[in-house]
Amino acid sequence: METWQKILQASVTSPGALLRRYGIDPAPLEAVVERYPMRVNPYYLGLIHAVGDPIWRQAIPSALEIEDHVCCADPLAEEEQSPVANLVHRYPDRVLFMVCSECAMYCRFCTRKRKVGGEHMRVTRETIAAGIDYIRANPQIRDVILSGGDPLLLGDENLEEILEQLRRIPSVEIIRIGSRVPVVLPQRITTNLVRLLRRYHPLYLNTHFNHPDEITPTSAKACARLADAGIPLGNQTVLMRGINDDPRVMKRLMQKLLAIRVRPYYIYQADLVQGTEHFRTTVEEGLEVIKALRGHTSGLAVPAYVIDAPGGGGKIPLLPDYLQQLGDTVLLKNYRGDSYTYRNAQPDMEPLEDAMVRAV
Ligand SMILES: *Cc1c(COP(=O)(O)O)cnc(C)c1O
Ligand code: SF4
């Protein structure tokens, strides 16, 4: 069996290869990959059925990436909210810690397009040590999210060193890994890796499937290995035009995720990242996706739909209008659009103990 390193080495990293394989003109894409790197490994390339399909769009550069001036390289103000390099401290009790600058594929829609895979992102022994020192010095941090880049592109030894050091910090309760490796390079989920990871529980892993065609026997096996090691698996999907903005596609994706023991966690409204405008949908379309899920299929298949607020405000959940307040009743709408009322409790009720004494 081919090792994951060999598969990665065989990646397509320049548009020229697209001409040979698909007969498309690579010239307009040269300037794109100069700015935003390209890496598509043979496994993910093999999932493409046709030029322009949802797998293609996620992996193959488009000239639209350098024509868009919609907003910002860093709309979530991650750099401003980094007290040390590669560590974002936005919320009180948890941090996002970037420990690898590489990915198994450079997704065209990436929120960190400004830095991943390029020379702007420097992850070194020093930045990792500084991040760990920061976490140790701030005991309010009880949840550390390893991200990148993709932390699972680190070699086993480097990854273990980080996990070991984090586990030695008593205030760190849980460790999460954010990784697209189960989707784009599932061969990386080796028995050795899983044996290593399970020594650092409680450990969670959030992966990133965007389309049902990404769920293959190989990616299912990678997820099964992780789940068998007791690692709770979640999924974060980005809502994207022409990829998963059809509610039927999204529903199928969520259902298929549950079938491989991955619990849908978030659907993200696309961020205002420069170079990704062609992927964006409206918020209304996102709400329609949620409406098509809730009630129509397993509640477990319904993730939270969130916008990561521009400027660094964090994730804000969006819900269709199921609820209206009318005096002391609550007007509710179910998934079919039928109305129901619920009589609310009185907000100024006397304390329960007093009421019970009076009732005796
Ligand atoms: C998404 C994110 C988190 C984690 O958010 P949860 O809602 O707890 O999953 C933490 N820090 C940053 C900077 C994030 O972007
Ligand atoms: S794997 Fe994640 S971080 Fe890497 S390019 Fe894709 S979306 Fe961006």
Side-chain angles (χ1 to χ4, degrees):
M1 207 186 77
E2 268 196 299
T3 64
W4 64 273
Q5 290 96 338
K6 284 209 177 113
I7 298 172
L8 199 59
Q9 259 168 28
S11 294
V12 173
T13 57
S14 68
L18 301 173
L19 174 65
R20 288 190 294 281
R21 207 175 158 117
Y22 301 101
I24 69 154
D25 177 13
L29 302 181
E30 298 291 351
V32 179
V33 302
E34 241 166 65
R35 179 125 160 232
Y36 304 119
M38 169 182 192
R39 176 185 268 178
V40 196
N41 68 60
Y43 165 77
Y44 199 82
L45 203 63
L47 303 185
I48 294 174
H49 294 305
V51 170
D53 75 9
I55 301 294
W56 171 284
R57 285 174 198 223
Q58 294 185 62
I60 308 296
S62 157
L64 296 172
E65 292 173 42
I66 50 173
E67 285 165 18
D68 132 38
H69 307 286
V70 65
C71 179
C72 345
D74 180 20
L76 306 182
E78 290 191 329
E79 304 300 338
E80 270 169 55
Q81 294 181 340
S82 296
V84 297
N86 300 325
L87 182 142
V88 186
H89 195 176
R90 173 175 299 149
Y91 296 106
D93 68 342
R94 54 209 189 279
V95 291
L96 187 109
F97 185 18
M98 295 171 230
V99 294
C100 184
S101 63
E102 273 188 79
C103 299
M105 167 167 115
Y106 293 117
C107 310
R108 307 324 298 173
F109 54 84
C110 182
T111 281
R112 286 194 199 108
K113 217 173 162 71
R114 69 181 186 279
K115 60 196 282 181
V116 294
E119 66 253 30
H120 302 306
M121 188 168 188
R122 285 212 188 287
V123 176
T124 61
R125 294 194 77 81
E126 287 70 35
T127 65
I128 290 175
I132 290 170
D133 286 345
Y134 180 83
I135 293 164
R136 193 183 297 112
N138 288 275
Q140 75 274 27
I141 299 167
R142 38 160 293 288
D143 175 2
V144 175
I145 302 157
L146 297 181
S147 179
D150 200 312
L152 294 187
L153 271 213
L154 292 173
D156 289 359
E157 272 175 32
N158 288 338
L159 181 63
E160 176 143 37
E161 204 176 304
I162 295 168
L163 291 171
E164 206 165 54
Q165 293 188 67
L166 287 174
R167 268 288 160 250
R168 264 194 246 128
I169 304 174
S171 40
V172 173
E173 291 175 8
I174 65 170
I175 299 173
R176 296 194 248 178
I177 292 179
S179 172
R180 194 150 145 81
V181 150
V183 185
V184 295
L185 186 61
Q187 297 82 355
R188 169 67 183 107
I189 311 298
T190 59
T191 49
N192 267 344
L193 175 68
V194 167
R195 208 176 303 134
L196 177 169
L197 292 176
R198 70 185 308 165
R199 286 202 288 269
Y200 298 93
H201 273 309
L203 182 92
Y204 291 72
L205 190 144
N206 265 335
T207 188
H208 182 166
F209 285 90
N210 288 324
H211 191 274
D213 288 355
E214 293 175 331
I215 299 178
T216 65
T218 316
S219 58
K221 183 173 157 197
C223 293
R225 272 189 182 161
L226 292 163
D228 286 346
I231 301 169
L233 300 176
N235 187 72
Q236 320 200 141
T237 294
V238 184
L239 175 64
M240 286 181 283
R241 182 170 303 288
I243 293 175
N244 54 23
D245 55 340
D246 178 339
R248 289 165 302 181
V249 171
M250 195 64 101
K251 186 158 106 183
R252 198 63 205 123
L253 172 63
M254 299 296 128
Q255 292 167 335
K256 284 182 83 174
L257 285 170
L258 290 180
I260 61 167
R261 286 187 281 167
V262 177
R263 166 77 158 97
Y265 179 53
Y266 282 140
I267 291 177
Y268 287 103
Q269 176 66 16
D271 293 325
L272 294 168
V273 176
Q274 191 171 2
T276 65
E277 176 65 7
H278 53 297
F279 289 115
R280 279 200 317 134
T281 67
T282 63
V283 169
E284 290 73 17
E285 286 170 287
L287 291 171
E288 287 306 316
V289 165
I290 294 302
K291 272 196 208 162
L293 293 173
R294 175 61 68 193
H296 298 278
T297 190
S298 318
L300 281 172
V302 189
Y305 170 44
V306 297
I307 294 194
D308 221 333
K315 298 171 182 76
I316 299 173
L318 303 174
L319 268 183
D321 291 326
Y322 295 123
L323 172 114
Q324 231 184 316
Q325 224 106 14
L326 278 181
D328 62 357
T329 63
V330 175
L331 193 61
L332 302 160
K333 235 188 235 158
N334 79 352
Y335 69 102
R336 286 209 195 88
D338 306 329
S339 295
Y340 298 85
T341 55
Y342 174 84
R343 191 169 46 76
N344 224 349
Q346 298 301 317
D348 51 359
M349 274 195 311
E350 62 183 320
L352 185 57
E353 286 81 10
D354 299 357
M356 284 172 78
V357 167
R358 197 162 39 71
V360 172

